[in-house]
Amino acid sequence: MLEIHDATGDPGQSRKPDYSSNRTNGAGSKELPTDVHFQIGVIPVTLRTPLRKLRRDYASLYDFARVDRKSPNSFIIEVTPKPFSLRHRPRFDVSINGHLQFEPSRLAEIIPCIEWSINWEISRSLSGHLQLHASTMEKNGCGIILPGESGAGKSTLAAGLLARGYRYLCDEFALIDTDTLQLQPYPRVLCVKKPAFPVMEALGLPLHGRKHYLKGIKGYVGYVKPNTIGDASVASSCPVRNIIFPKYQAGADPVLMPISRAQAAFSLHTYCFNLLSCHRNSFDVITSVARNANCFRLVSGDIQKTCDLIDDLVRGQSSAHAKIA
Amino acid sequence: MLGKTRNEYSSSYQPNRRPSLRESLLDGEGLVFDEETNSTHHLNSTALFIWNQCDGNTSIQCIAERVADTYDLTAKEALDEVSRLVGYLEERRLIHSREDAPKEDVKSC
């Protein structure tokens, strides 16, 4: 009869390693000729590296976000080759805002390390936003949050919806402005694991340059640029209207189960990266977001059928809204 | 789900919510956030019904009677459910433990 659930701690924070005590390599704010600048949604990024090939590759991935000038609050990512040593394989230092984050040994590892570093810096420094581990999409001005652990199918689902004309916000973070409760875009390139490469092919979403990158224990990944479908495929900020918790189950027909807003808010706490460091009380923000949203759990194994189901849901909501209006 | 812990309480025990908790009501269900432990708790409507009466002035016996009336349970079933929830809440320090609870006269139902 009684049901009560509890979630403890700040899992997002604890998952993130704290490298802040590591040595720094002196990132400065002065602009250098080796800098390239980007405004990826609400996240300004400057890549500083003498590696021309890396600059070219990163700039090509983020051509839709390239800007001419460095923002004053830019995340400065430095990638520097380590001095050559006969005893060690070649290595690179990847640091963000002066904090050394990774020391990859292969070029194919660097971009995933950059993406990870940005994630880390977002969770460390963006206290004006509630941060959830989720993909986020937009349709008809309404935001959809798809929270889930790694492997839940967030990115694949985001790609499936992108291919159907939904607009993209992010495949890793739901960034919610704590004052306006609006979802903010951080349209980083979609990161796709190797098993999902054929799915992307079938969706008509080519991997950037057909290249494979190495992302730690996740193995080979590829990137899909959100502007593959068109320049208008990146959304601007919007209110949250649907919260859907996806769970991938191979071969399963999709089932969308409504859940209570309290259940959804409870689960959102477990996916929050900055429960403790959020500028406004995260409990208030999460409950306010859930209060205005429709909430579901989704079990699915077929991307097309799943997208059909979500399409039906969103279309139904739009027509109901139109009738009320 | 609730654990299987079965706490034996005196029927005159008056469970009392800790005042420092943040609470929110969403569609008839409750969320409780404990800033000391950074833990969030979800209460379904029945648990919320009981939670709201853990005010330090209402005895377990009295809460159980109200639960029995509202949810059409026998007195024993209701007392079991209330004791179980109170045990759970006490374990998680959402209500004062019996030792800490201020001693007051039992209010009649």
Side-chain angles (χ1 to χ4, degrees):
Chain A
M1 182 174 114
L2 299 171
E3 266 189 54
I4 181 166
H5 305 87
D6 67 332
T8 309
D10 200 359
Q13 287 291 359
S14 61
R15 269 200 298 274
K16 299 285 171 193
D18 180 7
Y19 293 96
S20 54
S21 60
N22 278 355
R23 71 190 169 82
T24 63
N25 55 2
S29 59
K30 213 173 74 179
E31 202 155 329
L32 299 174
T34 52
D35 288 358
V36 266
H37 312 295
F38 306 89
Q39 184 67 43
I40 309 172
V42 292
I43 309 295
V45 169
T46 291
L47 173 65
R48 179 173 293 167
T49 178
L51 303 168
R52 196 176 304 159
K53 187 174 183 304
L54 175 65
R55 285 204 305 271
R56 242 195 342 252
D57 198 14
Y58 198 77
S60 152
L61 264 177
Y62 283 103
D63 54 3
F64 61 93
R66 184 94 185 252
V67 291
D68 293 334
R69 284 170 178 269
K70 178 177 161 294
S71 160
N73 53 350
S74 208
F75 291 4
I76 298 178
I77 300 157
E78 290 186 276
V79 182
T80 45
K82 287 194 152 190
F84 178 73
S85 154
L86 288 173
R87 287 176 56 199
H88 301 291
R89 295 172 66 180
R91 282 196 302 193
F92 307 90
D93 277 352
V94 178
S95 64
I96 188 158
N97 292 344
H99 297 279
L100 180 65
Q101 295 284 307
F102 297 98
E103 296 174 291
S105 59
R106 295 160 71 168
L107 272 170
E109 293 174 297
I110 295 178
I111 287 184
C113 288
I114 290 174
E115 299 290 278
W116 263 328
S117 300
I118 296 174
N119 293 353
W120 178 80
E121 190 63 15
I122 288 174
S123 66
R124 196 184 71 85
S125 66
L126 226 64
S127 60
H129 292 75
L130 183 85
Q131 303 163 18
L132 303 168
H133 192 193
S135 286
T136 45
M137 303 296 292
E138 180 257 24
K139 180 81 174 179
N140 303 329
C142 298
I144 305 172
I145 299 184
L146 303 158
E149 294 294 341
S150 183
K154 296 188 300 292
S155 295
T156 309
L157 194 47
L161 294 172
L162 180 69
R164 289 183 177 221
Y166 285 62
R167 298 200 300 162
Y168 179 68
L169 289 153
C170 191
D171 75 337
E172 182 73 6
F173 281 101
L175 295 177
I176 299 169
D177 186 301
T178 56
D179 292 326
T180 64
L181 301 182
Q182 298 257 319
L183 266 178
Q184 302 291 323
Y186 168 41
R188 47 173 247 153
V189 286
L190 284 98
C191 179
V192 182
K193 296 187 200 90
K194 196 175 178 185
F197 288 176
V199 179
M200 295 302 124
E201 194 99 358
L203 290 169
L205 298 172
L207 294 182
H208 165 67
R210 299 195 166 273
K211 287 181 190 163
H212 297 179
Y213 299 84
L214 255 176
K215 192 175 180 184
I217 55 166
K218 292 187 177 182
Y220 283 104
V221 297
Y223 291 112
V224 173
K225 290 164 63 172
N227 60 340
T228 301
I229 299 291
D231 286 338
S233 54
V234 173
S236 49
S237 59
C238 59
V240 180
R241 284 291 168 261
N242 286 296
I243 301 170
I244 302 173
F245 296 88
K247 186 180 176 192
Y248 175 74
Q249 198 173 301
D253 271 341
V255 183
L256 201 57
M257 294 158 285
I259 57 170
S260 73
R261 292 183 169 111
Q263 272 179 301
F266 169 77
S267 297
L268 287 181
H269 276 86
T270 65
Y271 293 113
C272 183
F273 284 124
N274 62 339
L275 202 54
L276 305 180
S277 55
C278 187
H279 155 75
R280 228 182 92 191
N281 189 294
S282 50
F283 179 74
D284 294 340
V285 177
I286 288 176
T287 48
S288 301
V289 167
R291 184 166 281 125
N292 295 309
N294 304 297
C295 309
F296 304 89
R297 286 203 194 285
L298 169 73
V299 176
S300 70
D302 181 307
I303 187 67
Q304 293 296 2
K305 287 181 186 170
T306 306
C307 291
D308 287 345
L309 196 63
I310 293 178
D311 249 351
D312 288 347
L313 172 79
V314 171
R315 214 173 300 132
Q317 288 170 346
S318 302
S319 56
H321 183 72
K323 274 181 202 162
I324 292 165
Chain B
M1 293 292 285
L2 280 177
K4 288 189 177 147
T5 320
R6 170 75 168 89
N7 287 272
E8 295 295 340
Y9 292 100
S10 148
S11 59
S12 63
Y13 168 52
Q14 300 159 307
N16 192 6
R17 298 189 295 271
R18 267 183 40 221
S20 57
L21 303 168
R22 298 181 69 95
E23 298 175 36
S24 187
L25 187 67
L26 282 169
D27 298 342
E29 297 184 3
L31 275 181
V32 179
F33 182 61
D34 183 351
E35 284 176 323
E36 278 180 25
T37 59
N38 303 312
S39 55
T40 311
H41 307 267
H42 167 220
L43 306 172
N44 74 359
S45 57
T46 322
L48 182 67
F49 181 85
I50 297 169
W51 169 258
N52 283 335
Q53 295 174 74
C54 295
D55 55 7
N57 294 316
T58 311
S59 70
I60 282 203
Q61 179 67 45
C62 189
I63 298 173
E65 282 173 26
R66 290 173 185 170
V67 168
D69 285 348
T70 309
Y71 294 98
D72 200 18
L73 296 176
T74 66
K76 186 181 178 309
E77 285 170 338
L79 188 60
D80 276 354
E81 293 286 1
V82 173
S83 299
R84 219 150 56 89
L85 180 67
V86 168
Y88 176 93
L89 298 171
E90 198 175 81
E91 264 173 34
R92 281 152 186 79
R93 299 176 51 79
L94 298 178
I95 57 174
H96 291 296
S97 70
R98 272 162 292 181
E99 290 73 31
D100 300 339
K103 307 281 180 290
E104 286 181 29
D105 290 339
V106 181
K107 230 171 42 178
S108 65
C109 292

